[in-house]
Amino acid sequence: MPEDWRERPLGIFGGTFDPVHFGHLRLAEEAADHLQLGEVCWIPAGQPPLRAAPQVSARHRLAMVRLATARNPSFEVDAAEVDTAQASYTVLTLERLRQANQLGQRRPLVLLLGADAFAALPGWHRWQSLLELAHIGVAHRPGFPIDVARLPEALLACYRERFCAQPAALRESAAGRIATFAMTPLGISATQIRTLLANGSSPRYLLPDEVIAYIRNHRLYPEK
Ligand code: ATP
Ligand code: MG
């Protein structure tokens, strides 16, 4: 481990993970590499406010994320959103992390988002405060080009002002910059996996075998 690992930014990766798949895992792995992150903290959403209720409970989604990430020492899992009945707002999560003793105000945080989630950012609760708390790292995602000209106006202005081409810039402040990175394009989505399972088709090689075994053992996503 490099000597300066404590100064490296901490990646924050939230999602519904219904279920977690290799698109998520490669995003976190490649973000750590491209953006020179110390670790990536995965935060499964308890009650995502902006979408239909997840198909399986937060407890099961958390257990699947734990299984998928267990053997990677650079990955941590934060269960706090799953443990509360409140809606999961990322800005509140970041405020909570900033208040945590071991993290404090100075360590750079990088909120990791796929390009679809980034384009939808202006719909998030207090979205402009996110950049006071963290940097944002945006991953390319097949089907969701980062098309600057089509970003909502407020987000475009923010992007132009804060974009940094050099990931090293993320170490120079605790928050406020936007970086993008081209991860291996993987056209995998949890929606696709739920559809395969509902149809009785195999989801193998789209997500880890341990997660598939968990789904089978707990009879999640039953055939319709
Ligand atoms: P769903 O189809 O249920 O929306 P999903 O596959 O999009 O599921 P989410 O839990 O919604 O997974 O996504 C969590 C985060 O991971 C989001 O920021 C999303 O953009 C990103 N993401 C998910 N899949 C990919 C992928 N294949 N490539 C790049 N980013 C991805
Ligand atoms: Mg999604």
Side-chain angles (χ1 to χ4, degrees), residues 25-26 28-30 32 38-40 42 65-77:
L25 287 156
R26 282 306 302 180
E29 184 74 358
E30 295 193 32
E39 309 91 28
V40 174
W42 294 60
V65 169
R66 285 201 198 284
L67 281 173
T69 57
R71 278 175 289 127
N72 188 328
S74 301
F75 290 168
E76 306 165 354
V77 181

mmCIF file of all heavy atoms in Angstrom, residues 25-26 28-30 32 38-40 42 65-77:
data_model
loop_
_atom_site.group_PDB
_atom_site.id
_atom_site.type_symbol
_atom_site.label_atom_id
_atom_site.label_comp_id
_atom_site.label_asym_id
_atom_site.label_seq_id
_atom_site.Cartn_x
_atom_site.Cartn_y
_atom_site.Cartn_z
ATOM 1 N N LEU A 25 -19.368 -3.471 -9.925
ATOM 2 C CA LEU A 25 -18.044 -3.858 -9.408
ATOM 3 C C LEU A 25 -16.921 -3.265 -10.257
ATOM 4 O O LEU A 25 -15.923 -2.763 -9.740
ATOM 5 C CB LEU A 25 -17.940 -5.387 -9.327
ATOM 6 C CG LEU A 25 -18.778 -5.952 -8.164
ATOM 7 C CD1 LEU A 25 -19.157 -7.402 -8.419
ATOM 8 C CD2 LEU A 25 -18.019 -5.831 -6.847
ATOM 9 N N ARG A 26 -17.088 -3.283 -11.571
ATOM 10 C CA ARG A 26 -16.053 -2.686 -12.432
ATOM 11 C C ARG A 26 -16.030 -1.173 -12.260
ATOM 12 O O ARG A 26 -14.964 -0.554 -12.305
ATOM 13 C CB ARG A 26 -16.282 -3.031 -13.915
ATOM 14 C CG ARG A 26 -15.868 -4.419 -14.340
ATOM 15 C CD ARG A 26 -14.437 -4.794 -14.014
ATOM 16 N NE ARG A 26 -13.409 -3.934 -14.577
ATOM 17 C CZ ARG A 26 -12.093 -4.116 -14.388
ATOM 18 N NH1 ARG A 26 -11.663 -5.140 -13.651
ATOM 19 N NH2 ARG A 26 -11.230 -3.313 -14.921
ATOM 20 N N ALA A 28 -16.590 0.527 -9.541
ATOM 21 C CA ALA A 28 -15.850 0.832 -8.305
ATOM 22 C C ALA A 28 -14.362 0.536 -8.475
ATOM 23 O O ALA A 28 -13.501 1.323 -8.049
ATOM 24 C CB ALA A 28 -16.432 0.023 -7.145
ATOM 25 N N GLU A 29 -14.055 -0.579 -9.113
ATOM 26 C CA GLU A 29 -12.650 -0.973 -9.297
ATOM 27 C C GLU A 29 -11.911 0.021 -10.208
ATOM 28 O O GLU A 29 -10.795 0.449 -9.918
ATOM 29 C CB GLU A 29 -12.611 -2.384 -9.910
ATOM 30 C CG GLU A 29 -11.238 -2.984 -10.076
ATOM 31 C CD GLU A 29 -10.614 -3.456 -8.765
ATOM 32 O OE1 GLU A 29 -11.235 -3.284 -7.700
ATOM 33 O OE2 GLU A 29 -9.488 -3.971 -8.828
ATOM 34 N N GLU A 30 -12.561 0.386 -11.304
ATOM 35 C CA GLU A 30 -11.899 1.288 -12.264
ATOM 36 C C GLU A 30 -11.852 2.718 -11.729
ATOM 37 O O GLU A 30 -10.910 3.459 -12.016
ATOM 38 C CB GLU A 30 -12.568 1.180 -13.639
ATOM 39 C CG GLU A 30 -12.368 -0.220 -14.222
ATOM 40 C CD GLU A 30 -12.718 -0.344 -15.695
ATOM 41 O OE1 GLU A 30 -12.561 0.629 -16.462
ATOM 42 O OE2 GLU A 30 -13.154 -1.448 -16.090
ATOM 43 N N ALA A 32 -11.414 3.449 -8.603
ATOM 44 C CA ALA A 32 -10.293 3.447 -7.658
ATOM 45 C C ALA A 32 -8.978 3.632 -8.410
ATOM 46 O O ALA A 32 -8.094 4.378 -7.982
ATOM 47 C CB ALA A 32 -10.284 2.140 -6.867
ATOM 48 N N GLY A 38 -8.289 5.886 -2.298
ATOM 49 C CA GLY A 38 -7.755 5.002 -1.269
ATOM 50 C C GLY A 38 -8.628 3.766 -1.117
ATOM 51 O O GLY A 38 -8.162 2.642 -1.170
ATOM 52 N N GLU A 39 -9.921 3.995 -0.912
ATOM 53 C CA GLU A 39 -10.889 2.902 -0.794
ATOM 54 C C GLU A 39 -12.189 3.369 -1.447
ATOM 55 O O GLU A 39 -12.358 4.550 -1.739
ATOM 56 C CB GLU A 39 -11.232 2.570 0.674
ATOM 57 C CG GLU A 39 -10.065 2.331 1.597
ATOM 58 C CD GLU A 39 -9.615 3.600 2.279
ATOM 59 O OE1 GLU A 39 -10.445 4.511 2.477
ATOM 60 O OE2 GLU A 39 -8.406 3.703 2.567
ATOM 61 N N VAL A 40 -13.084 2.422 -1.622
ATOM 62 C CA VAL A 40 -14.442 2.769 -2.072
ATOM 63 C C VAL A 40 -15.420 2.253 -1.019
ATOM 64 O O VAL A 40 -15.380 1.076 -0.647
ATOM 65 C CB VAL A 40 -14.773 2.145 -3.445
ATOM 66 C CG1 VAL A 40 -16.232 2.406 -3.808
ATOM 67 C CG2 VAL A 40 -13.852 2.708 -4.524
ATOM 68 N N TRP A 42 -19.153 1.455 -0.252
ATOM 69 C CA TRP A 42 -20.431 1.160 -0.905
ATOM 70 C C TRP A 42 -21.559 1.452 0.083
ATOM 71 O O TRP A 42 -21.505 1.017 1.240
ATOM 72 C CB TRP A 42 -20.498 -0.311 -1.289
ATOM 73 C CG TRP A 42 -19.528 -0.760 -2.329
ATOM 74 C CD1 TRP A 42 -18.163 -0.711 -2.288
ATOM 75 C CD2 TRP A 42 -19.855 -1.368 -3.585
ATOM 76 N NE1 TRP A 42 -17.625 -1.239 -3.439
ATOM 77 C CE2 TRP A 42 -18.640 -1.656 -4.246
ATOM 78 C CE3 TRP A 42 -21.066 -1.710 -4.211
ATOM 79 C CZ2 TRP A 42 -18.595 -2.261 -5.502
ATOM 80 C CZ3 TRP A 42 -21.019 -2.310 -5.455
ATOM 81 C CH2 TRP A 42 -19.805 -2.577 -6.100
ATOM 82 N N VAL A 65 -24.472 -7.064 -1.549
ATOM 83 C CA VAL A 65 -23.303 -6.179 -1.719
ATOM 84 C C VAL A 65 -22.154 -6.681 -0.849
ATOM 85 O O VAL A 65 -20.994 -6.719 -1.284
ATOM 86 C CB VAL A 65 -23.672 -4.705 -1.406
ATOM 87 C CG1 VAL A 65 -22.423 -3.839 -1.314
ATOM 88 C CG2 VAL A 65 -24.631 -4.154 -2.461
ATOM 89 N N ARG A 66 -22.452 -7.101 0.361
ATOM 90 C CA ARG A 66 -21.384 -7.630 1.234
ATOM 91 C C ARG A 66 -20.714 -8.851 0.587
ATOM 92 O O ARG A 66 -19.489 -8.973 0.594
ATOM 93 C CB ARG A 66 -21.956 -8.029 2.593
ATOM 94 C CG ARG A 66 -22.274 -6.863 3.500
ATOM 95 C CD ARG A 66 -22.329 -7.368 4.937
ATOM 96 N NE ARG A 66 -23.013 -6.485 5.851
ATOM 97 C CZ ARG A 66 -22.511 -5.363 6.352
ATOM 98 N NH1 ARG A 66 -21.315 -4.973 5.983
ATOM 99 N NH2 ARG A 66 -23.203 -4.633 7.201
ATOM 100 N N LEU A 67 -21.515 -9.755 0.035
ATOM 101 C CA LEU A 67 -20.953 -10.943 -0.607
ATOM 102 C C LEU A 67 -20.080 -10.561 -1.800
ATOM 103 O O LEU A 67 -18.998 -11.106 -2.000
ATOM 104 C CB LEU A 67 -22.083 -11.853 -1.126
ATOM 105 C CG LEU A 67 -22.795 -12.733 -0.105
ATOM 106 C CD1 LEU A 67 -23.990 -13.420 -0.763
ATOM 107 C CD2 LEU A 67 -21.811 -13.772 0.447
ATOM 108 N N ALA A 68 -20.583 -9.629 -2.610
ATOM 109 C CA ALA A 68 -19.886 -9.264 -3.849
ATOM 110 C C ALA A 68 -18.561 -8.554 -3.585
ATOM 111 O O ALA A 68 -17.643 -8.626 -4.403
ATOM 112 C CB ALA A 68 -20.791 -8.382 -4.712
ATOM 113 N N THR A 69 -18.474 -7.842 -2.455
ATOM 114 C CA THR A 69 -17.300 -6.991 -2.213
ATOM 115 C C THR A 69 -16.328 -7.598 -1.194
ATOM 116 O O THR A 69 -15.245 -7.055 -0.975
ATOM 117 C CB THR A 69 -17.732 -5.602 -1.685
ATOM 118 O OG1 THR A 69 -18.509 -5.793 -0.497
ATOM 119 C CG2 THR A 69 -18.564 -4.844 -2.708
ATOM 120 N N ALA A 70 -16.711 -8.723 -0.585
ATOM 121 C CA ALA A 70 -15.987 -9.245 0.595
ATOM 122 C C ALA A 70 -14.506 -9.471 0.347
ATOM 123 O O ALA A 70 -13.691 -9.280 1.248
ATOM 124 C CB ALA A 70 -16.629 -10.533 1.071
ATOM 125 N N ARG A 71 -14.131 -9.899 -0.839
ATOM 126 C CA ARG A 71 -12.725 -10.264 -1.035
ATOM 127 C C ARG A 71 -11.874 -9.126 -1.570
ATOM 128 O O ARG A 71 -10.734 -9.331 -1.965
ATOM 129 C CB ARG A 71 -12.652 -11.507 -1.938
ATOM 130 C CG ARG A 71 -12.880 -12.779 -1.099
ATOM 131 C CD ARG A 71 -12.938 -14.043 -1.907
ATOM 132 N NE ARG A 71 -14.161 -14.121 -2.688
ATOM 133 C CZ ARG A 71 -14.207 -14.342 -3.993
ATOM 134 N NH1 ARG A 71 -13.109 -14.498 -4.680
ATOM 135 N NH2 ARG A 71 -15.368 -14.403 -4.612
ATOM 136 N N ASN A 72 -12.413 -7.929 -1.616
ATOM 137 C CA ASN A 72 -11.615 -6.790 -2.088
ATOM 138 C C ASN A 72 -11.285 -5.875 -0.901
ATOM 139 O O ASN A 72 -12.169 -5.198 -0.369
ATOM 140 C CB ASN A 72 -12.405 -6.012 -3.149
ATOM 141 C CG ASN A 72 -11.550 -4.944 -3.804
ATOM 142 O OD1 ASN A 72 -10.667 -4.377 -3.150
ATOM 143 N ND2 ASN A 72 -11.802 -4.665 -5.061
ATOM 144 N N PRO A 73 -10.018 -5.859 -0.472
ATOM 145 C CA PRO A 73 -9.673 -5.081 0.728
ATOM 146 C C PRO A 73 -9.853 -3.572 0.542
ATOM 147 O O PRO A 73 -9.881 -2.837 1.532
ATOM 148 C CB PRO A 73 -8.202 -5.430 0.971
ATOM 149 C CG PRO A 73 -7.707 -6.080 -0.269
ATOM 150 C CD PRO A 73 -8.870 -6.595 -1.036
ATOM 151 N N SER A 74 -10.000 -3.112 -0.706
ATOM 152 C CA SER A 74 -10.221 -1.670 -0.916
ATOM 153 C C SER A 74 -11.694 -1.294 -0.847
ATOM 154 O O SER A 74 -12.038 -0.122 -0.971
ATOM 155 C CB SER A 74 -9.700 -1.247 -2.290
ATOM 156 O OG SER A 74 -8.346 -1.525 -2.393
ATOM 157 N N PHE A 75 -12.559 -2.269 -0.694
ATOM 158 C CA PHE A 75 -13.996 -1.983 -0.631
ATOM 159 C C PHE A 75 -14.494 -2.096 0.810
ATOM 160 O O PHE A 75 -14.164 -3.052 1.525
ATOM 161 C CB PHE A 75 -14.792 -2.976 -1.499
ATOM 162 C CG PHE A 75 -14.618 -2.819 -2.998
ATOM 163 C CD1 PHE A 75 -15.086 -3.810 -3.858
ATOM 164 C CD2 PHE A 75 -14.021 -1.701 -3.553
ATOM 165 C CE1 PHE A 75 -14.939 -3.686 -5.245
ATOM 166 C CE2 PHE A 75 -13.868 -1.564 -4.932
ATOM 167 C CZ PHE A 75 -14.335 -2.567 -5.782
ATOM 168 N N GLU A 76 -15.315 -1.105 1.210
ATOM 169 C CA GLU A 76 -15.991 -1.149 2.513
ATOM 170 C C GLU A 76 -17.480 -1.054 2.239
ATOM 171 O O GLU A 76 -17.875 -0.535 1.197
ATOM 172 C CB GLU A 76 -15.657 0.089 3.349
ATOM 173 C CG GLU A 76 -14.208 0.360 3.532
ATOM 174 C CD GLU A 76 -13.951 1.781 4.051
ATOM 175 O OE1 GLU A 76 -14.907 2.591 4.167
ATOM 176 O OE2 GLU A 76 -12.787 2.052 4.305
ATOM 177 N N VAL A 77 -18.277 -1.486 3.187
ATOM 178 C CA VAL A 77 -19.732 -1.379 3.025
ATOM 179 C C VAL A 77 -20.281 -0.622 4.231
ATOM 180 O O VAL A 77 -19.942 -0.939 5.368
ATOM 181 C CB VAL A 77 -20.391 -2.769 2.920
ATOM 182 C CG1 VAL A 77 -21.899 -2.628 2.738
ATOM 183 C CG2 VAL A 77 -19.792 -3.558 1.755
#
